[in-house]
Amino acid sequence: MTAADVVRLAREAGATIAVAESLTGGALASAIVDVPGASAVLRLGVVAYDTAMKASVLGVDAALLAERGAVDGEVAARMAVGARLLADVGGPATIGVATTGVAGPEPQDGHAVGEVHVGLATADGARSIRLDLAGDRAGIRAATVAAALDALAAELAAPPPTITAHP
């Protein structure tokens, strides 16, 4: 999916988006902002490149960061939650999305180049998607943006849960 698809789906759903980025350094928010009409759906974009900023700005638990480091699925999910809540204007953003990982050129804290985690958070909870990407730094970052857009589009296009009444 493209950023234009994400903006269209969010507009159709009446949804708002908050972005927290580490690995992608603002490229995900920039891709969304490049779409005309993005201001109707994008509430916030935060680049928390430094690990300490993930705790102080996004509210990721410092003990979790100390234990696992920044390249972790739970950290990505917590970053997405933090962005969603940070964008609270009359209520949190509908969906938070976050990126963290290793773009290279060297491994980081025992994690291989290409290990990436995309976090997603909604009112229903948070989760992360692990990616193992190949390529150079620019390619890994671009593939991460594409994967995050795909994840956002899938989340926005998902039908709401069905509630069945039982007599």
Side-chain angles (χ1 to χ4, degrees):
M1 292 281 179
T2 66
D5 295 321
V6 167
V7 170
R8 178 184 51 78
L9 288 167
R11 287 182 72 123
E12 288 171 358
T16 55
I17 300 168
V19 179
E21 300 180 73
S22 184
L23 165 81
T24 49
L28 177 56
S30 181
I32 295 169
V33 169
D34 283 345
V35 179
S39 62
V41 300
L42 183 64
R43 278 199 184 165
L44 173 83
V46 172
V47 176
Y49 206 67
D50 183 89
T51 299
M53 294 298 105
K54 291 169 181 63
S56 67
V57 175
L58 296 171
V60 177
D61 183 62
L64 174 66
L65 287 164
E67 177 187 333
R68 298 190 190 173
V71 182
D72 179 76
E74 184 64 20
V75 169
R78 296 293 104 205
M79 288 172 63
V81 168
R84 182 175 173 268
L85 297 177
L86 192 59
D88 190 340
V89 178
T94 308
I95 186 166
V97 61
T99 62
T100 189
V102 183
E106 301 295 325
Q108 176 185 330
D109 299 328
H111 298 276
V113 172
E115 180 182 336
V116 172
H117 300 272
V118 174
L120 293 166
T122 67
D124 294 328
R127 64 185 175 90
S128 66
I129 302 162
R130 180 182 169 140
L131 307 169
D132 291 298
L133 302 171
D136 64 6
R137 183 175 175 79
I140 290 168
R141 292 179 71 233
T144 300
V145 169
L149 290 170
D150 286 347
L152 271 172
E155 189 71 33
L156 289 163
T162 303
I163 300 172
T164 305
H166 296 283

